[in-house]
Amino acid sequence: MTTLPVATPARKPASGAQQKLLAFASLIALLMFFSVASPNFLQTSNILAILQATSVNGVLAIAATLVIITGGIDLSVGTLMTFCAVMAGVILTNAGMPLPLGVVGAIAAGAICGTISGTLVAKMKIPPFIATLGMMLILKGLSLVISGTKPIYFNDTPGFSQISTGSLIGKIFPTVPVPNGVLILFIVALVIGYVLNRTVLGRYCFALGSNEEAVRLSGVNTDAWKIAIYALAGSICGIAGLIIASRLNSAQPALGLGYELDAIAAVVIGGTSLAGGRGSILGTMIGALIMAVLLNGLRVMSVAQEWQTVVTGAIIIAAVYADMLRRRRAAA
Amino acid sequence: MTQLVRMSGIDKHFPGVHALKSAQFDLVPGEVHALMGENGAGKSTLMKVLSGIYQPDGGTVEVSGESATINGPRAAQALGIGIIHQELALMNDLTVAQNIFIGREPRRSFGRLDEHRLNTDADAIFAQMKVQIDPRAEVRSLSVARQQMVEIAKALSFRSRILIMDEPTAALNEAETNELFAIIRRLKSEGVGVVYISHKMDEIRRISDRVTIMRDGAYVGTVHAADTPIETIISMMVGRDLQSVHVDIPDLTSAPVALEVRGLGRGRAIRDVSFNLKQGEILGFAGLMGAGRTEVARAIFGADPRDSGEIIVHGKSAMIRSPKDAVDAGIGYLSEDRKHFGLALGLDVRANIGMTSLARFSNAVGMLNEAGLEKTAKDYIAKLAIRTPSDRQEVRLLSGGNQQKIVIAKWLLRNCDILIFDEPTRGIDVGAKAEIYRLMQALAADGKAIIVISSELPEVLRLSHRIAVMCEGRLTGILPGGPATSQEEIMRLATVRQSAVEEATA
């Protein structure tokens, strides 16, 4: 009676994997549907357009994923992106500094703002929804104030537009001119995916979202880690700011509001639980792609833009409902 | 022999509560030292001080003969103190190994995790425990007993010499308990000192060497488990000072039965519970934490599903599937957690009293009859002596006793004549308690049928006309109220385990 039988491994496959599978299947189904419905859909130029359209939302969604896995929410990712773009404009255009400084400055601005959000949440115990809602408005206002409500153009920094629209891959493989913005998205996804699954910071993301009190009682400085996670999310928003500013060759201070909801939608469609504790970058990427494919496909099929929005909303509800159903089955 | 732990004169205050009054405790290597006492005696609080979760207001703690300041979980770990909490503190979404080494993950450069070493280290601990659990399994997928093993493995991974277990067998069955005891004995033989908090008398006899008894936050005494009769331990736990209270027990022989419960059952939580309750009667439910009293109440109220059993209200079988059905049948449940389940704290007294009866105060299109609500609310404020500046006062600003009265008013207004009070005076100060007691007695005299669930024996003894005692989901006996029944008798019924019951009925 001293040896226990081997623990039965999880009866069902890890539930996050199931949702990812479902999301992936939906993506494939959408691709097949649109390629049958419209011959133009599968053309290289259109596929590249879809990826290009995913790049900003995808990067923001990766930032949001980190925070959501901890059981929090970040509503400020959209206006933080804009704020970082404006900071790049200030550094490059208004101050005339060299390009690398602008890049570092934008990302640093994101990290600082993320640190502030994280401190509000971790130290001052302000609920993440409220803290980041406040930050969202503050950053929107600051972007307008700093830029004087006018766009800042990057005409004096010729290399800047290459950040997003140039194509390193195209130089090597001229047939697939994948824009750098898309390349950056994939690099960010790979790096953050690694961080999430293979590093201490990632482990604490899941642990905090799973049972914060237990983590604290295990002697972990939960506040410091939470701030670090928000800061990392903020710096990723800085990267998104660079991508969008580069694509528009300008920092548009009025832009940004609403992006946070698209990002959260992509996260949710990708199977990350808003309750925290589970989620993945792969899922988020699939989620962002589903949204971009849907919008693009409907446009190619000449569905009115108003209806595209309606369909996106319905997809979000369907995705979460499918997740709930699966969860209820798993619990039974 | 050097002592592993020596705590003396430990004092701890919480707002409104003196939780530890000069408490003391000591532990030597290779012993299992049980810590006993009634609910709220301060056992868990004392151990939370030892494990760095609470800071004492006074007193000294020595670990291995040296004075120690344990200012956090990390400091406790460094001193070799591990605690297994009553509610398992695991991260369900993480794997077994990830849980064990949370905060101390084997790392490589740049904060990268060494997942392979994580799993092999966990394997090594399980091998030492002679338990087979897959370190890669998600904790969510394990049974409670196995999650407990993970907690123990986690504590051992700190090379703990002091292991605190707070009611470790609460959710375990007989076989699982035996496994746990085998592990505890092995640890003991390796010189680990184990603090064992439990309510279960027979377990204490089986596993522990010494027993320290606490009451009301204070140290009562330490005895050897082997040569101390259970009766002695029980009387040390309950004390003698709060004994006989005069209870007026009305003659209810001719009173009609208001509620009859037959064969109520749900899994392991409620096992074949049957009793009846007459109009005008106060039936107390005594038992230790986790005995299944609240579960019975919630099942009767339709808040939880039940596997079996019939509920008969006023002679008619009632189909209760939801709280709404129960309320329609005239059953009101006053949750132990008023603030969560009983009141809308941000709303005023008037709105709370009318909450469940709004249909009576609204017209066909749903317009509320505020004048009627106001009059009714003021009636109840006067009748129940609710102390509030007005019926528009927000409920959160009132004291616990007055909040409880508002919940009572709410159910009375809804015409509930069977009222189930779950811990009716939790968080209510002494003066207000007496008032709530008087109110409950007046309600009974008025013909209401009342069930009162309480973990405080003096409260049960003071109120009940009859006392039902539960242990591990079973109703182990119904005792007469009043001076005929002693706390010792109740405690004995509250601690009989399944085997004892079967022997008695065989």
Side-chain angles (χ1 to χ4, degrees):
Chain A
M1 277 298 276
T2 50
T3 309
L4 298 173
V6 181
T8 36
R11 288 142 297 182
K12 299 123 196 157
S15 39
Q18 252 184 37
Q19 171 74 3
K20 244 180 286 173
L21 213 65
L22 188 74
F24 191 66
S26 317
L27 178 60
I28 300 296
L30 277 176
L31 287 173
M32 279 165 47
F33 173 77
F34 285 126
S35 50
V36 172
S38 161
N40 297 329
F41 181 78
L42 267 190
Q43 284 179 2
T44 313
S45 61
N46 193 47
I47 295 291
L48 287 178
I50 290 174
L51 290 173
Q52 175 85 292
T54 313
S55 59
V56 169
N57 186 34
V59 172
L60 287 181
I62 288 168
T65 305
L66 287 175
V67 172
I68 288 172
I69 289 176
T70 68
I73 190 89
D74 193 343
L75 296 178
S76 67
V77 294
T79 57
L80 176 54
M81 167 187 82
T82 303
F83 179 74
C84 295
V86 169
M87 289 314 286
V90 168
I91 293 167
L92 297 177
T93 304
N94 298 8
M97 293 202 220
L99 179 60
L101 268 183
V103 171
V104 171
I107 295 174
I112 291 167
C113 293
T115 305
I116 295 171
S117 292
T119 308
L120 293 174
V121 172
K123 292 285 182 199
M124 294 166 68
K125 310 291 176 210
I126 297 171
F129 188 96
I130 306 298
T132 58
L133 179 72
M135 285 300 283
M136 171 177 104
L137 295 173
I138 289 170
L139 291 168
K140 180 181 166 60
L142 281 181
S143 300
L144 291 166
V145 170
I146 292 170
S147 63
T149 72
K150 282 190 282 291
I152 305 175
Y153 291 93
F154 293 98
N155 297 332
D156 303 338
T157 318
F160 191 76
S161 67
Q162 292 297 308
I163 290 175
S164 176
T165 50
S167 178
L168 284 176
I169 295 180
K171 275 184 190 151
I172 307 163
F173 307 104
T175 45
V176 276
V178 177
N180 288 341
V182 176
L183 185 64
I184 294 172
L185 168 65
F186 282 104
I187 291 171
V188 170
L190 283 174
V191 170
I192 299 302
Y194 185 86
V195 165
L196 210 45
N197 292 306
R198 292 278 182 273
T199 70
V200 177
L201 183 109
R203 177 63 39 81
Y204 291 150
C205 274
F206 288 104
L208 285 172
S210 196
N211 187 347
E212 182 172 342
E213 183 63 7
V215 184
R216 200 177 63 78
L217 291 180
S218 302
V220 175
N221 186 347
T222 47
D223 289 355
W225 283 104
K226 209 186 263 183
I227 293 171
I229 292 162
Y230 277 86
L232 177 60
S235 58
I236 298 168
C237 293
I239 296 174
L242 289 169
I243 297 175
I244 196 162
S246 159
R247 194 198 303 160
L248 304 172
N249 199 31
S250 61
Q252 301 283 343
L255 206 73
L257 217 55
Y259 278 69
E260 66 285 337
L261 297 181
D262 281 346
I264 293 167
V267 175
V268 167
I269 293 172
T272 293
S273 162
L274 281 183
R278 43 187 56 209
S280 71
I281 296 299
L282 179 61
T284 295
M285 291 290 282
I286 294 171
L289 278 171
I290 286 180
M291 290 181 68
V293 165
L294 201 67
L295 288 184
N296 178 281
L298 293 172
R299 198 175 307 138
V300 171
M301 285 175 68
S302 315
V303 175
Q305 187 161 11
E306 301 83 284
W307 282 105
Q308 297 170 14
T309 317
V310 174
V311 172
T312 311
I315 293 279
I316 293 169
I317 293 171
V320 173
Y321 183 61
D323 192 38
M324 302 274 289
L325 281 183
R326 184 186 50 72
R327 220 165 268 255
R328 229 173 285 162
R329 264 203 315 276
Chain B
M1 198 182 317
T2 44
Q3 280 171 323
L4 274 177
V5 175
R6 188 186 176 85
M7 305 174 81
S8 55
I10 304 292
D11 247 57
K12 180 71 189 171
H13 291 264
F14 292 112
V17 190
H18 194 171
L20 292 176
K21 301 167 193 163
S22 191
Q24 65 179 75
F25 187 78
D26 73 292
L27 185 69
V28 297
E31 79 162 341
V32 176
H33 193 155
L35 192 50
M36 295 201 79
E38 287 190 281
N39 302 331
K43 308 171 299 255
S44 296
T45 310
L46 185 64
M47 287 305 118
K48 283 183 175 167
V49 168
L50 182 57
S51 55
I53 296 165
Y54 294 152
Q55 302 309 309
D57 300 329
T60 57
V61 181
E62 283 173 28
V63 177
S64 301
E66 281 172 40
S67 165
T69 309
I70 308 170
N71 53 16
R74 190 137 260 182
Q77 288 166 8
L79 289 165
I81 300 169
I83 183 165
I84 293 155
H85 294 277
Q86 205 168 346
E87 294 93 23
L88 293 178
L90 293 170
M91 289 135 278
N92 284 328
D93 299 309
L94 269 49
T95 70
V96 168
Q98 288 169 357
N99 263 282
I100 292 175
F101 292 104
I102 188 77
R104 302 163 297 139
E105 296 79 3
R107 300 179 190 192
R108 297 181 292 168
S109 53
F110 303 112
R112 290 177 303 153
L113 296 166
D114 188 343
E115 205 76 16
H116 178 72
R117 228 186 85 202
L118 189 76
N119 288 320
T120 49
D121 285 359
D123 259 333
I125 295 170
F126 286 127
Q128 185 201 336
M129 286 169 66
K130 298 197 173 57
V131 170
Q132 288 183 333
I133 294 178
D134 180 5
R136 291 166 189 81
E138 215 177 299
V139 162
R140 185 185 297 283
S141 70
L142 303 180
S143 69
V144 177
R146 295 188 155 274
Q147 294 186 359
Q148 192 108 50
M149 302 296 172
V150 174
E151 282 270 30
I152 295 173
K154 181 176 168 185
L156 291 179
S157 71
F158 295 109
R159 301 209 163 69
S160 295
R161 293 163 304 143
I162 299 153
L163 191 57
I164 304 163
M165 296 186 175
D166 195 349
E167 301 223 35
T169 58
L172 305 189
N173 64 29
E174 204 67 46
E176 291 165 340
T177 301
N178 288 334
E179 310 280 10
L180 177 70
F181 283 2
I183 291 172
I184 292 178
R185 290 201 183 94
R186 208 146 43 223
L187 293 173
K188 207 176 120 162
S189 68
E190 286 158 17
V192 175
V194 178
V195 184
Y196 192 90
I197 300 179
S198 176
H199 281 311
K200 298 176 182 170
M201 288 293 169
D202 62 330
E203 281 185 0
I204 301 291
R205 295 301 289 270
R206 273 171 63 196
I207 195 74
S208 62
D209 303 302
R210 288 193 295 161
V211 183
T212 286
I213 293 109
M214 292 182 71
R215 186 172 67 232
D216 300 328
Y219 173 81
V220 176
T222 303
V223 297
H224 284 279
D227 50 12
T228 309
I230 286 181
E231 285 69 24
T232 311
I233 296 178
I234 289 178
S235 64
M236 288 172 84
M237 281 167 67
V238 297
R240 297 271 175 192
D241 45 338
L242 287 163
Q243 273 278 309
S244 54
V245 198
H246 179 69
V247 193
D248 276 323
I249 299 179
D251 180 16
L252 294 166
T253 39
S254 59
V257 172
L259 173 74
E260 186 173 355
V261 174
R262 280 192 207 147
L264 191 69
R266 176 162 56 82
R268 280 161 42 91
I270 308 171
R271 308 191 223 188
D272 192 25
V273 169
S274 304
F275 65 91
N276 65 49
L277 173 68
K278 290 187 166 181
Q279 282 182 25
E281 185 179 34
I282 301 179
L283 177 64
F285 265 76
L288 298 165
M289 232 180 271
R293 296 164 301 158
T294 296
E295 285 75 6
V296 166
R298 287 177 59 93
I300 294 171
F301 190 60
D304 293 330
R306 57 181 198 271
D307 300 339
S308 61
E310 196 182 359
I311 296 165
I312 299 154
V313 180
H314 298 304
K316 282 197 294 267
S317 180
M319 299 295 280
I320 295 176
R321 290 209 187 77
S322 69
K324 183 184 179 302
D325 295 341
V327 172
D328 288 344
I331 303 175
Y333 174 61
L334 292 84
S335 162
E336 58 186 317
D337 193 347
R338 287 186 293 282
K339 294 186 174 164
H340 268 116
F341 303 118
L343 291 166
L345 290 175
L347 298 186
D348 58 23
V349 176
R350 186 196 296 180
N352 270 284
I353 290 178
M355 190 70 72
T356 50
S357 312
L358 287 183
R360 270 160 54 193
F361 294 96
S362 57
N363 63 15
V365 292
M367 280 262 291
L368 284 175
N369 170 10
E370 281 292 344
L373 271 172
E374 180 179 355
K375 187 182 170 305
T376 309
K378 286 185 168 161
D379 282 353
Y380 276 105
I381 289 172
K383 201 156 42 169
L384 305 186
I386 301 170
R387 269 182 293 282
T388 169
S390 84
D391 64 317
R392 301 316 302 263
Q393 179 79 343
E394 277 183 46
V395 166
R396 69 184 168 86
L397 301 172
L398 301 181
S399 72
N402 285 302
Q403 290 182 350
Q404 185 67 289
K405 288 181 185 175
I406 290 166
V407 183
I408 295 172
K410 182 175 86 172
W411 290 118
L412 292 178
L413 177 60
R414 192 66 171 76
N415 291 328
C416 287
D417 50 13
I418 300 169
L419 295 172
I420 306 174
F421 289 84
D422 199 346
E423 304 287 354
T425 60
R426 177 164 294 174
I428 292 177
D429 63 62
V430 182
K433 264 186 189 177
E435 210 176 331
I436 297 285
Y437 294 157
R438 273 200 298 281
L439 182 54
M440 290 168 73
Q441 281 158 345
L443 290 170
D446 200 31
K448 309 284 184 211
I450 292 176
I451 290 176
V452 52
I453 298 170
S454 175
S455 297
E456 292 176 42
L457 280 183
E459 181 166 290
V460 173
L461 284 169
R462 175 164 177 176
L463 282 170
S464 310
H465 303 156
R466 282 187 303 153
I467 300 164
V469 188
M470 288 191 70
C471 179
E472 300 187 342
R474 287 189 173 68
L475 194 62
T476 46
I478 297 187
L479 300 166
T485 297
S486 67
Q487 297 199 36
E488 282 84 352
E489 264 176 282
I490 297 174
M491 285 303 284
R492 207 167 296 124
L493 280 177
T495 51
V496 282
R497 300 204 59 178
Q498 185 174 355
S499 48
V501 175
E502 275 159 10
E503 271 167 40
T505 51

